[in-house]
Amino acid sequence: MKYLFSLIVVFSILVNPINTFAEEVVLAGGCFWCLEHDLESLRGINSVISGYSGGDLQKPTYENHNGHQEVVLVNYDSEVVTLSEIYRLYFRNIDPLDGGGQFCDRGDSYRPVIFFENSDDKNEASKSLLSASKELGVNLEKINVELKPKSQFWEAEAYHQDFANRNELKYKFYRFSCGRDQQLDKLWKENARSTNSWSE
């Protein structure tokens, strides 16, 4: 039986090597266009899909996703990038002190949330909250990123996917006018949008 399992693993690697070590995490941090664009830059990320999660509404849309947050579904290769590294980049692309939305986008749809799959994911997320508080020099209670159990992910409409690359000028104008990068630079300084290790 163990030989059969080994053969299945080897076969899966040969047939689809990208997905053999693929794992997923769902993150909310304001506008999903921005979060998708920022996380795609990390080595080991296979794909980032914009969508909705966290609420009870079935088949949410951009016009009606009441109770859901705008989120991204991050598919990553755990042999190349760790969940801790993804959380670190996530934090440095949001304002974790703001639980009422992100930048110019206000309200429940835009508040920062990490959706965890299991206790290991939750522990990693909790560690990242603590690391962020230390780097920012604030008490842990000031970090307003909610940790919630993972719920159903609903993929957003096609025109939202890969928006930054398909609508470069519109995306850059939105991002600048929303003040996202200006606030990130003020908050995280030289580590804004950085994959560097957490500061001590």
Side-chain angles (χ1 to χ4, degrees), residues 22 31-32 37 56 69 107 129 156 179 189:
C31 171
F32 48 27
H37 176 263
D56 297 322
Q69 281 75 53
L129 264 68
K189 301 180 174 58

Side-chain angles (χ1 to χ4, degrees), residues 1-14:
M1 188 67 179
K2 67 179 181 179
Y3 298 113
L4 178 60
F5 177 75
S6 298
L7 284 173
I8 291 171
V9 170
V10 170
F11 181 74
S12 68
I13 292 172
L14 292 173

